[in-house]
Amino acid sequence: MYDFINGNEYAPAPESTAIVNIKKKYGLYIGGKWVDAQGKKTFETINPANQQVLSKVADASKADVDAAVKAARKAFEGEWSSISGAERGKYLYRIARILQERSREFAVLESMDGGKPIRESRDIDIPLVAAHFFYYAGWADKLDFAFPGAGIGGQKVKPVGVVGQVIPWNFPLMMAAWKIAPALASGNTVVLKPAETTSLTALLLAEVIEEAGVPAGVVNIVTGAGDTGKFVVGHPDVNKVAFTGSTCVGKHILKSVAGTDKSYTLELGGKAAHIIMDDAAIDQAVEGIVNGIFFNQGHVCCAGSRLLVQEGVADKVVKKLQKRMETLIVGNPLDKNTDIGAINSKEQLAKIKSLVKTATKEGATVWQPGTSVPRKGNFYPPTLILDCAQSHTVVQEEIFGPVLTIQTFRTVNEAVEKANNTQYGLSGGVWSDKGAKVFKLTDNVKAGIMWANTYNAFDPASPFGGFKESGIGREGGLHGLYPYVKFNA
Ligand code: TAP
């Protein structure tokens, strides 16, 4: 059974046990200390499944961000820069192990604060977070030999300095790991701002970092809304900006770093085409489609949100998909049987509803299964949008919810053309029995990640990132270390 010391109660997931210590109030983690925001301002973080307030979180001002950057600079120039890569690696291994030990606690907190099903946070998010720290721990003592050409002619690999990192709410802990692990492995120090609606697991991660004995100031966590993010990105003593979030905010950030000597990586939105060829294994493809769009309520940058089905199998695929969707359970994120949890915020729920309305206005057909949806909390049923044209708003814009548009095509070339006809280029998927078709599609769809006969397969060793308005730079793998190092300096 779950036990919350601040008195919040929640129906426990069957057969699960975990103790989650949610504090009544969280401060900022700066210079190895927990401090209030200088202006004493706080904001509430709520459980989107039941609207209960989980905790109050410090709202960092410009002065707080300045203190965090100063702490990061001091650590960068002090102890952190004098230790070896092998020593840095040990800290990362320690963080990874503690995360594994406390994985249930993290999973429950992630589901409560963000709304995602416990099955996903427990079996996917938290294991991947630990794997990310393990992976980058392994690189920490190999950097001199990691990059082609490095080490030749006395070329040295060095960290870039203080890194400002801003992350979104859809994979709160995973995005924190994607940012912090490579930054620390390569010897940088960090100021990280989590999203306003999902700060709690980043703050719990700060506790883990403390427990792992990471020197003070190496990781600083400043919570707050968009302005706090702006202060982090705009701080003159930040050497590199790492941002994950919407394309719209990404464009603002790009403008704000223009003309400075800051380096940057931007991981932005997506509108992936999920392509089903007529020779695909249909039952497996249908499972792939469900996973592609309904995983994490569709709050996924790489979600397979546009289904492109070859005409010969379109009716069959849609019927099977509808039948499968009738079985999906929408509800309590802490119930391990739940398939679709809560939409992260009221604002996001309103955005999803409004885009689906637009689809109807523009002439598409909306289909939803008879699934029951809890009245209390932010919930939205799995939804198909049929009879879509390429110009429809729902085909072009990121919905970031459990909503799938469906279009058909006749030839591989038509599939490629439709897949590439949006502003985004983050990810995509192909289902086909024929290797030649798979290669033609994966070669010609302009996307940073293409999956074949699977979807949403993640691995820390694999680079992730987009083309076009989906971003600049890569995270994960060796590629994910490049933005955190400089050569010959
Ligand atoms: P955003 O609204 O862009 O917010 C992302 C982060 O930036 C939040 O922490 C936000 O703070 C902060 N922020 C807002 N305005 C800012 C500004 N002017 N300067 C600096 N920081 C600012 O995105 P979101 O709604 O949280 O996340 C969803 C988006 O993230 C989707 O578009 C999704 O595709 C994208 N995403 C991309 C990836 C990759 S790897 N490409 C992965 C996950 C998500 P507050 O939210 O606290 O106000």
Side-chain angles (χ1 to χ4, degrees):
M1 113 175 223
Y2 299 113
D3 179 23
F4 308 123
I5 60 163
N6 70 350
N8 287 318
E9 284 180 4
Y10 205 92
E15 297 167 31
S16 294
T17 55
I19 293 187
V20 181
N21 255 342
I22 303 179
K23 294 175 187 153
K24 280 196 169 147
K25 201 175 120 196
Y26 285 88
L28 309 167
Y29 185 62
I30 296 179
K33 294 201 171 78
W34 291 93
V35 295
D36 286 342
Q38 293 183 27
K40 306 283 175 213
K41 270 176 78 180
T42 59
F43 60 92
E44 289 180 339
T45 187
I46 64 144
N47 180 336
N50 61 12
Q51 307 294 345
Q52 277 185 4
V53 175
L54 291 172
S55 186
K56 280 189 178 169
V57 179
D59 191 355
S61 63
K62 198 171 183 179
D64 296 309
V65 170
D66 187 49
V69 174
K70 283 199 171 102
R73 175 63 58 195
K74 192 170 164 207
F76 181 72
E77 280 166 7
E79 192 182 350
W80 196 238
S81 61
S82 63
I83 67 170
S84 66
E87 283 298 312
R88 288 199 307 272
K90 280 187 204 164
Y91 286 115
L92 292 172
Y93 280 123
R94 249 180 250 159
I95 294 170
R97 281 193 217 103
I98 299 170
L99 279 162
Q100 284 183 321
E101 280 159 20
R102 298 177 67 177
S103 61
R104 286 203 152 214
E105 190 184 346
F106 271 99
V108 171
L109 190 59
E110 194 75 314
S111 284
M112 291 180 71
D113 203 23
K116 65 177 67 198
I118 187 76
R119 224 174 46 211
E120 292 177 6
S121 41
R122 184 194 61 188
D123 299 346
I124 299 169
D125 289 45
I126 313 304
L128 272 173
V129 166
H132 224 80
F133 278 101
F134 275 121
Y135 175 78
Y136 279 110
W139 274 119
D141 61 350
K142 302 172 189 71
L143 295 178
D144 288 341
F145 317 101
F147 306 96
I152 298 170
Q155 192 174 222
K156 289 253 182 297
V157 178
K158 291 193 170 174
V160 292
V162 174
V163 182
Q165 305 182 321
V166 179
I167 56 171
W169 46 260
N170 60 335
F171 291 96
L173 190 65
M174 209 192 300
M175 291 300 107
W178 283 25
K179 297 273 177 287
I180 294 173
L184 264 50
S186 42
N188 301 279
T189 58
V190 162
V191 176
L192 176 121
K193 190 203 93 71
E196 184 184 3
T197 56
T198 53
S199 305
L200 295 187
T201 46
L203 293 165
L204 195 59
L205 178 63
E207 282 181 27
V208 167
I209 285 167
E210 206 173 17
E211 199 182 328
V214 175
V218 170
V219 176
N220 305 274
I221 311 280
V222 288
T223 44
D227 277 348
T228 308
K230 250 191 225 170
F231 302 140
V232 171
V233 169
H235 196 289
D237 202 29
V238 160
N239 301 107
K240 179 204 154 31
V241 170
F243 172 77
T244 299
S246 61
T247 294
C248 171
V249 173
K251 285 179 183 177
H252 285 295
I253 290 177
L254 198 51
K255 280 184 199 152
S256 84
V257 296
T260 72
D261 62 356
K262 289 174 192 170
S263 60
Y264 53 87
T265 40
L266 304 172
E267 300 286 347
L268 310 175
K271 192 75 190 173
H274 202 164
I275 303 166
I276 316 297
M277 301 303 297
D278 58 10
D279 57 7
I282 300 296
D283 289 333
Q284 283 95 323
V286 167
E287 283 311 305
I289 296 165
V290 167
N291 169 36
I293 184 63
F294 302 125
F295 171 55
N296 197 22
Q297 298 76 247
H299 299 331
V300 183
C301 51
C302 55
S305 54
R306 287 187 294 142
L307 186 66
L308 300 181
V309 200
Q310 200 158 19
E311 271 184 12
V313 289
D315 287 348
K316 190 171 169 191
V317 168
V318 172
K319 276 200 188 101
K320 281 189 181 250
L321 179 59
Q322 288 173 323
K323 197 168 166 205
R324 178 69 175 89
M325 283 167 66
E326 294 287 358
T327 69
L328 295 176
I329 298 170
V330 181
N332 181 356
L334 291 186
D335 186 331
K336 70 180 169 56
N337 295 311
T338 293
D339 296 300
I340 300 179
I343 302 300
N344 180 260
S345 65
K346 280 189 177 158
E347 293 73 23
Q348 185 59 25
L349 182 60
K351 181 181 166 195
I352 295 167
K353 285 181 177 169
S354 151
L355 279 163
V356 172
K357 247 191 205 162
T358 305
T360 315
K361 270 192 220 149
E362 291 180 356
T365 308
V366 173
W367 182 89
Q368 291 172 332
T371 319
S372 73
V373 174
R375 284 213 191 123
K376 200 174 163 202
N378 308 335
F379 291 97
Y380 197 80
T383 301
L384 297 183
I385 305 191
L386 301 141
D387 308 316
C388 289
Q390 190 71 29
S391 58
H392 281 168
T393 308
V394 284
V395 172
Q396 293 295 326
E397 277 188 26
E398 190 179 41
I399 301 174
F400 227 55
V403 181
L404 178 68
T405 63
I406 303 187
Q407 294 170 271
T408 58
F409 64 90
R410 284 189 188 163
T411 62
V412 171
N413 286 346
E414 190 187 347
V416 169
E417 203 170 296
K418 283 184 165 156
N420 285 337
N421 189 353
T422 74
Q423 73 196 81
Y424 298 108
L426 184 58
S427 59
V430 182
W431 292 78
S432 172
D433 195 33
K434 299 278 181 295
K437 287 185 197 169
V438 167
F439 283 120
K440 183 152 187 200
L441 283 157
T442 51
D443 280 352
N444 289 292
V445 173
K446 197 149 178 60
I449 307 104
M450 284 296 287
W451 286 291
N453 296 325
T454 185
Y455 206 90
N456 279 337
F458 302 104
D459 190 300
S462 174
F464 191 98
F467 294 112
K468 293 154 61 180
E469 296 196 13
S470 286
I472 296 166
R474 295 290 179 268
E475 290 188 326
L478 176 60
H479 294 69
L481 283 171
Y482 272 95
Y484 290 104
V485 294
K486 54 188 181 181
F487 302 97
N488 239 355

